[in-house]
Amino acid sequence: MGKGPCIVTTRDAELLELKDAFSLAQGGDGSVVLLSGSVGMGKTTLVNTFLDHVGLKRQSHKDLGSQCKDLGSQCVAESDPIILTASCSLAERELPLSMIRQLLGSPRLLPEYRDAAAALLCGHAATAHRSENEHSADDVINERQAEVAQGLLDILQELASRRCVVVAVDDFEHVDSWSLHVLMYVLVRIGTARVVAVLNESTDARPRFPVLRSEMLRLPHARHIRLLPLTRDGVITMVGESLGKKAAARLSGPLHEISGGSPMLLQALIDDCERSARTGEAPGVVVADAFRGAVTLCLRRCGEEAVQAARILTVLDETPSLNLLARLLSSSAETTSQLVDRLNAVGLLSGRQFRHEVARAAVLRDNPTDELREHVALVLYRSGAPTESVLIQLLAAGCPAGRWATDLLRCEARKALDAGRYEAALSYLDLVGDQAGSSREQAEVDALRSMTEWWLHPSEARYRFPDLPAAVRDGHLRDREAVAVVRNMLWYGHYNAAAEAIRALAGRDPSSAEQAAFFAWLACTYPGLVPDTPTVRLTEPLSPELRATRLLSDLLLGKRTEDAALEADYLLRSSASADAVHYPLVSALEVLIYAGHLDAAERWCAVLMDNAARVRSSIGTATLSSLRAEVALRRGDLPAVIRHASLAMNALSVPGWGVHLGAPLHCLIAAHTALGELDEAARLVQQTMPRGVAETRFGLLYWHARGHFYQATGQVHAAIEDFQVCGETMQRWGMDQPSLVPWRTDLAQALLRAGKVDRARMLADAQLELASPDAGSARGVALRVLAATTSSPRRALALLTQAVEALEKCGDTVELARALNELSEKNYVVGKAADARVLARRARRIAETSRLHLGGRSVLSVVQPTDTAHQATAATDETLALTEAERRVAVLAAQGYTNREVGQKLFLSISTVEQHLSRVYRKLKVKRRAELAARLQPALAPARMSGVRATG
């Protein structure tokens, strides 16, 4: 037990009572003391301390023998008692006379007493073994037991006539039946003998012989001492004995809470603290190896039922009700309550919870729980416990534990997948493994696992589950799983297997909303694979999320455009609150992008990126990063394009991107080309593209970017070929939309480089007719190209002015910088050098902000400032009519900021900026921004205008 004296200092009253019983026995008043308490209360330590007091530790066996004389068998030291001890055990409680043999076989007895006792016991040994199996009342002593008892009584009385006799029995609750009856016979008759019997019992189990125990306690010379858990003061005393008063004051509270007042557990905690202090660790409460060992010992001594209760409590994450715990133990509520009380009494539990996590861990370490968790999972499931609690047990057990479990795991995996909890879904499906049952159910499990792995580890998922295409073909999968399997096959370019599965899907009847959405998405994403997309006869309404795919298909196929962006934004609002990043949400984002609602697209991309990071979906992160790069490219924010597209490429390997590699790759090629970083663009163009990209919408984007690279590097004919292939493919697929790829103006610019002006003009005119009024970038570029095809400088000026206005509205800064640069050149040609310089400066500022490489020679290199005092004075006089707010807006607008940028800098709405500019134009008698810049530039420097400082 360790440091006994420390424990005994807290049991002074109990020790004093034992000493009193011994003193009375010395005077001829025999007594029986029953010392009761839970495991770990210090019963054995207290008895040993008592025996030390009465003389056991002061004499060796050799000294006892040398001090005895032959005839009288009297010892020289008359005051020293004769102490007979025995220790009962669970292993020997079915062994008749086990305890009596220990008492009478003590080496402290003289040989003649031992021989007499041996003869007595030997004569009744066989009888005892036979009668042990006979059924008799526990409280009735038989004749054979009485003979042994009388013999023992005779020996004790003869010994007591010479010296006081102390009988000490440890773990009395495990006494065998024969020994108990014999001892009871003796104890009844020692009231006037110099004998004190101290019986040490644990109260952690129900008494095996309750009647005899009650009879014992009713004896007039019997005492009952109960050892209770230590109070806070008792803990302070015990801790102070070992660690000092200061430590006791600091640590007694937590140590009392952890140990529950159990001296055994408290002593172990003290030992851990002392060991930690010796190793130089920080002072404080330490719960380590000594405590773990004490918990193990304590629990082992509480009995198998208590061990099982503790094991069940270790595997439960929440405190169970008493009735649930009883069901888990397959026991009654009354018995369960007694077990819980027992574990509370020994200091392991507080209520139905472990007092400390180390205690719980110690129980787990010493008791394997796999089979137990299966049992707990089943009981929880049948009891209607929350599904999450059942799943925790199944996952910890590591096996599905029956058909009910595989069905539950399959169902919960589908729910987790829908909610975007991909790792949870995968853990459920891995547990099912190949034990799903029927071939149809196994196909469903494999499909769900394929879908989940695609979101988490797309590079690995492409090699898994080769039997799934056949499962789609054979109808073993429902529409949802079948569509997901086909989508995955398409992603990796497995077109032959996908085509067979698509035909099987198209042949199903009735058709579902899932099928309708899939075929709509297929028509605008893989139009080259399925030229004749099946017409789906819809028998159920589209869900809000699945409507997004229909919106995207209609937009790209030219079926509808009005309110598409508004509806896509609504769908995102109603669906994006979930953690999942499913493809309908991606389709809604693409609608916003192709409809030109770039601010909304960027905002939703950021929201969904957070969701993708939360669920750790690599493919979600990659796809959304690619879309953000597309938004940045259409805005002309080239550094952001490279940042987002690089993140997309890093999130997935090149094989992991499958045939969708064209999405991020075209952004990188276009951005590096526009930045003039042609070596890096060339490296990307040389990237081997996966087979099948040409059959996808992303192939169009790739041809578009590669064509611009060829044009920038002087490979005009290669550029023309890429743009022509792009245009022919879009027309063949019925996706001839400038909002997707403005191939006509791309081709027109290449044709201009080749000197084919008339054809370039035709293409630009055609794009103007196709582009909607809201398609600012497509219209602006078409106007800029038309300006390049006309020989009239004034016609060119008018077209370029319109181009600038269109590009300012859409926010495409790259194309705006190009248009401004060309407008500057035309102004210079017609003799408007001042206007040319202002426009050139604005173009250069925008280009520098976007790091755009404009190419060619700017008019700034040939036109020098010619400010005059007259110009400055005139301009200054005209601005006096402006209010302070109008002047601030006018200054920033003259410096080249867009309305949105002006609003951001001055914390104004765009409509307020537009109102201010309208009044400025009227007061200064100008019609457009270029004239405003020319009017203000001679008089106002950016660093001095009304305290406004330009930043960019």
Side-chain angles (χ1 to χ4, degrees), residues 781-838:
V781 174
L783 289 166
R784 184 169 68 82
V785 173
L786 272 179
T789 64
T790 182
S791 58
S792 169
R794 296 196 178 278
R795 169 67 174 159
L797 275 174
L799 291 170
L800 286 171
T801 300
Q802 294 178 51
V804 167
E805 290 175 350
L807 293 168
E808 283 178 336
K809 290 180 180 179
C810 73
D812 187 342
T813 56
V814 167
E815 291 299 336
L816 176 59
R818 289 170 176 160
L820 285 169
N821 195 52
E822 293 174 11
L823 181 58
S824 169
E825 293 175 357
K826 293 301 180 185
N827 272 276
Y828 178 67
V829 169
V830 298
K832 297 181 179 180
D835 290 348
R837 186 178 71 254
V838 171

Side-chain angles (χ1 to χ4, degrees), residues 535-552:
T535 300
V536 178
R537 181 165 55 85
L538 194 60
T539 59
E540 60 182 84
L542 286 173
S543 67
E545 280 191 353
L546 297 180
R547 282 184 60 81
T549 56
R550 177 66 64 84
L551 282 174
L552 177 63

Side-chain angles (χ1 to χ4, degrees), residues 24-51:
L24 292 175
Q26 285 181 313
D29 292 330
S31 63
V32 180
V33 181
L34 183 62
L35 186 63
S36 301
S38 296
V39 170
M41 290 297 114
K43 301 182 297 295
T44 302
T45 301
L46 180 60
V47 171
N48 287 340
T49 303
F50 166 67
L51 295 179

Side-chain angles (χ1 to χ4, degrees), residues 551-829:
L551 282 174
L552 177 63
S553 176
D554 290 349
L555 182 65
L556 293 182
L557 296 176
K559 296 180 181 178
R560 56 171 289 185
T561 56
E562 67 278 2
D563 298 330
L566 184 63
E567 189 170 354
D569 189 78
Y570 171 77
L571 292 173
L572 285 164
R573 289 181 185 278
S574 62
S575 306
S577 58
D579 283 340
V581 188
H582 291 156
Y583 76 90
L585 302 184
V586 174
S587 297
L589 283 173
E590 290 175 321
V591 169
L592 291 176
I593 292 172
Y594 296 138
H597 291 246
L598 302 181
D599 288 342
E602 169 61 27
R603 183 177 68 252
W604 282 117
C605 278
V607 171
L608 294 175
M609 278 285 287
D610 290 341
N611 291 351
R614 185 160 49 250
V615 300
R616 288 184 279 192
S617 169
S618 57
I619 205 161
T621 299
T623 301
L624 292 167
S625 297
S626 178
L627 290 175
R628 295 185 84 172
E630 183 71 32
V631 170
L633 183 63
R634 289 169 181 258
R635 279 180 167 170
D637 188 352
L638 302 178
V641 175
I642 293 176
R643 183 170 66 254
H644 293 309
S646 297
L647 177 60
M649 293 292 287
N650 291 332
L652 289 181
S653 65
V654 169
W657 269 105
V659 296
H660 288 232
L661 180 62
L665 194 60
H666 97 276
C667 291
L668 285 173
I669 294 172
H672 285 294
T673 299
L675 290 169
E677 298 170 350
L678 299 180
D679 289 342
E680 179 61 21
R683 184 187 68 80
L684 294 168
V685 167
Q686 291 168 4
Q687 168 77 52
T688 301
M689 297 297 289
R691 292 179 59 186
V693 173
E695 310 300 327
T696 73
R697 169 169 32 107
F698 310 105
L700 303 174
L701 301 174
Y702 177 75
W703 287 324
H704 167 68
R706 191 175 66 177
H708 279 286
F709 166 76
Y710 286 150
Q711 185 169 316
T713 54
Q715 303 176 69
V716 178
H717 293 293
I720 291 174
E721 182 179 354
D722 268 0
F723 294 141
Q724 283 178 332
V725 169
C726 187
E728 292 168 358
T729 304
M730 292 177 70
Q731 289 176 323
R732 186 174 70 253
W733 289 348
M735 296 175 61
D736 192 3
Q737 301 298 320
S739 60
L740 176 60
V741 174
W743 67 271
R744 288 179 175 83
T745 50
D746 294 337
L747 179 57
Q749 292 177 79
L751 291 171
L752 283 173
R753 295 281 297 273
K756 300 179 180 181
V757 177
D758 291 341
R759 189 179 172 197
R761 185 183 303 111
M762 292 174 56
L763 289 168
D765 283 332
Q767 180 157 307
L768 269 179
E769 292 179 7
L770 283 173
S772 66
D774 295 332
S777 181
R779 287 184 58 81
V781 174
L783 289 166
R784 184 169 68 82
V785 173
L786 272 179
T789 64
T790 182
S791 58
S792 169
R794 296 196 178 278
R795 169 67 174 159
L797 275 174
L799 291 170
L800 286 171
T801 300
Q802 294 178 51
V804 167
E805 290 175 350
L807 293 168
E808 283 178 336
K809 290 180 180 179
C810 73
D812 187 342
T813 56
V814 167
E815 291 299 336
L816 176 59
R818 289 170 176 160
L820 285 169
N821 195 52
E822 293 174 11
L823 181 58
S824 169
E825 293 175 357
K826 293 301 180 185
N827 272 276
Y828 178 67
V829 169

